Amino acid sequence: MKLTFLGTGGAWGLPELNCDCRICRQMRLGNEKRERTALLLTHESSLLIDCGPDIRDQLCRHSVSRLDAVLITHEHGDHYLGMDELVSFKRTSPRGEFRPIPVFLTARSWKVIGAQFGYLEKMGVITVHEVKPSTAFRVKEFEVFPFKTSHGSFALGSVGYSIKVGHNPGNAAHLVYTSDFVDLPEHPTQIFNPDYLIIQSFWLNEPRINTPQHMSFQRAVEFIKLWKPIQRTFLVHIGDGDWIKGDPANKMSKKREPAQPMKPPQGGSHYPVPLNQEEWEGVVEEICADYGLPCKCTVAYDDLCVQL
Ligand SMILES: [Zn+2]
Ligand SMILES: [Zn+2]
């Protein structure tokens, strides 16, 4: 099985348009970027999780010529606005051979997304499959269990997905993909002890006011300790909203002052806010060791491919 991190950024990508904060400036200097978060899972079939506005370039870069299913996590633009690009899979198929791509999402998400992209179903580009939290379904060799996540009043349809990959349940690889969330109404057994956890890390430090309801790495540490992934955790949906001492950009509305900046549990000065990939890797490695996290934690970056 292969994981391809097509994009690893927050809702407006990094560096963000018009933004001269220290994070965006540092990333421009190093020619770094993070596109909107999406993940491709490839085994015998290909499963795409989320389909944001960067999806065309993302799929082109990896020469993805077939999608067997798409899972949508919730009705925010950065997770679905690229759905019109799916039309190309039909346009380029030999006449009469195309089979619509099954798209899975909650009824609440489809209520919003269908208002814009309902025509894709009428055109025979997609078939829509409404999923219910805590009701498992199978698509190709993927056993999928959607679980309810809390991501604010503008994303009432949000879910994460626990996915087992393989035909034989005895040796299936188990992945948990949270997408955007701040909490869960309940923790179903299906999300404990996955082989791989893919979790949002929108800020390093938990902000004093957590709007619009995202997961910081500081907060994610508690979920990682609770769910105990076995092989590896991957961080995605990384933003630039961390408040950085002395940065004039702190006045921007997206910047969030930390509640209590993260420190080693044994005390000492707080960890520096990472400005780019290298600094994220350094600080996450330190935190994993200091907090005794159960497995290695990788800061994903765009186009990272991992063979599992
Ligand atoms: Zn998002
Ligand atoms: Zn969201």
Side-chain angles (χ1 to χ4, degrees), residues 151-167:
H151 180 38
S153 56
F154 296 118
L156 293 173
S158 71
V159 285
Y161 292 104
S162 165
I163 305 170
K164 289 196 170 156
V165 188
H167 296 288

Side-chain angles (χ1 to χ4, degrees), residues 8 14 23 26-27 32 34 199-206 215-218 220 235-242 244 262 271-288 297-301:
T8 57
L14 289 181
I23 294 172
Q26 190 66 29
M27 289 184 73
E32 290 188 42
R34 292 187 190 276
I199 192 167
Q200 179 183 41
S201 190
F202 196 51
W203 306 278
L204 175 73
N205 292 311
E206 179 65 15
M215 180 60 50
S216 63
F217 185 60
Q218 187 170 19
L235 306 182
V236 295
H237 207 292
I238 292 167
D240 63 342
D242 271 296
I244 298 170
M262 208 174 180
Y271 299 105
V273 170
L275 303 180
N276 59 14
Q277 176 68 20
E278 195 186 349
E279 293 186 13
W280 263 105
E281 286 175 6
V283 89
V284 164
E285 196 180 325
E286 220 178 307
I287 293 170
C288 285
C297 199
T298 295
V299 182
Y301 50 88

Side-chain angles (χ1 to χ4, degrees), residues 11 74 76 78-79 151 180 200 214 237:
H74 66 290
H76 281 163
D78 55 319
H79 297 261
H151 180 38
D180 305 6
Q200 179 183 41
H214 286 291
H237 207 292

Side-chain angles (χ1 to χ4, degrees), residues 12-51:
W12 293 276
L14 289 181
E16 187 176 342
L17 177 69
N18 294 326
C19 185
D20 65 349
C21 80
R22 282 184 54 193
I23 294 172
C24 288
R25 281 163 51 185
Q26 190 66 29
M27 289 184 73
R28 282 190 197 99
L29 282 175
N31 268 327
E32 290 188 42
K33 65 170 178 158
R34 292 187 190 276
E35 294 183 347
R36 269 52 76 95
T37 291
L39 179 72
L40 185 70
L41 241 91
T42 324
H43 189 52
E44 291 156 22
S45 316
S46 296
L47 182 73
L48 175 66
I49 308 182
D50 284 334
C51 190

